Amino acid sequence: MAKKTYDLLFKLLLIGDSAVGKTSVLFRFSDDAFNTTFISTIGIDFKIKTVEMQGKKIKLQIWDTAGQERFHTITTSYYRGAMGIMLVYDITNTKSFESISKWLRNIDEHASEEVERMLLGNKCDMDDKRVVPTAKGEQIAAEHGIRFFETSAKSNVNIEKAFLCLAEDILSKTPGKEPAAEHVDISSGNGGAGWKKCC
């Protein structure tokens, strides 16, 4: 019988408007590659990457969704079962930032209540074309109690950090699959109960 090569499987989802760089973010994390000629994702695509965390091998199954409205009915079914959702906007595109509230509503409607959410302001290497200030991203993340990173798939800024933080947040909520005594509360060491600092 084939031996299972991982301890836990986390299903992650990348959502956001079309052309904000979701596919580039995913490829930078999974393959450490950047391609300037991506075509829009049609429907849905996914990548697998295994990471080690707190002595466990965690298989990340990361789904990349199409941002276009016409694929909307396909992609909403993928919210079910997602344990972590990364909501991506483009710091050079005001409309993609304004769509965040719509995407957050979609998460509330279609995803489980326990899902970990994270906001990414992508393309931070294009600061000269920036139209969305960092403070605006921080503000909307704070309002919804979610983590926020500015990322660049092109310059490889905060990509791995964001994925590992999301995985760590999910892991901290995952009951130990072995005896319950295995569960370690990582929030107790820093005095701040609840809001955990990883990375």
Side-chain angles (χ1 to χ4, degrees):
M1 209 170 94
K3 183 180 179 295
K4 201 167 71 162
T5 54
Y6 58 91
D7 301 308
L8 298 167
L9 173 69
F10 291 170
K11 179 181 169 186
L12 309 180
L13 199 59
L14 285 161
I15 62 170
D17 281 8
S18 187
V20 295
K22 297 184 296 295
T23 303
S24 297
V25 165
L26 176 55
F27 269 78
R28 172 59 81 187
F29 178 65
S30 64
D31 301 358
D32 197 17
F34 181 77
N35 186 340
T36 51
T37 56
F38 276 122
I39 51 167
S40 282
T41 303
I42 306 295
I44 199 112
D45 193 10
F46 79 96
K47 287 269 186 190
I48 298 260
K49 181 160 177 167
T50 303
V51 297
E52 279 212 32
M53 217 168 254
Q54 297 175 22
K56 287 190 166 30
K57 269 199 165 61
I58 299 167
K59 189 177 189 175
L60 302 178
Q61 188 184 67
I62 309 156
W63 294 84
D64 177 20
T65 64
Q68 296 98 321
E69 203 61 49
R70 69 179 188 275
F71 294 117
H72 203 65
T73 49
I74 308 172
T75 56
T76 49
S77 60
Y78 285 88
Y79 285 76
R80 284 192 291 278
M83 299 160 87
I85 295 180
M86 285 182 160
L87 173 47
V88 188
Y89 69 91
D90 172 355
I91 67 156
T92 70
N93 178 332
T94 309
K95 187 182 168 296
S96 73
F97 183 75
E98 288 166 351
S99 297
I100 287 169
S101 50
K102 174 195 79 173
W103 289 108
L104 284 165
R105 277 197 305 278
N106 284 346
I107 295 173
D108 290 343
E109 280 173 38
H110 303 290
S112 82
E113 279 179 35
E114 298 82 54
V115 73
E116 282 291 339
R117 300 169 302 165
M118 178 178 277
L119 182 63
L120 300 184
N122 194 36
K123 305 190 186 178
C124 70
D125 55 286
M126 297 169 71
D127 217 31
D128 53 327
K129 296 190 173 72
R130 175 193 287 275
V131 292
V132 182
T134 305
K136 275 193 154 180
E138 289 171 342
Q139 182 188 347
I140 200 163
E143 282 168 13
H144 293 275
I146 58 180
R147 286 190 193 279
F148 170 69
F149 288 102
E150 285 202 333
T151 55
S152 166
K154 187 177 185 178
S155 308
N156 198 7
V157 176
N158 281 340
I159 300 289
E160 187 163 11
K161 187 176 184 182
F163 276 100
L164 294 181
C165 266
L166 189 59
E168 201 160 291
D169 286 348
I170 297 166
L171 182 60
S172 70
K173 284 174 30 174
T174 306
K177 297 286 181 251
E178 292 87 30
E182 276 249 325
H183 186 71
V184 181
D185 181 11
I186 57 168
S187 64
S188 56
N190 58 11
W195 204 214
K196 41 212 177 304
K197 275 269 184 282
C198 76
C199 328

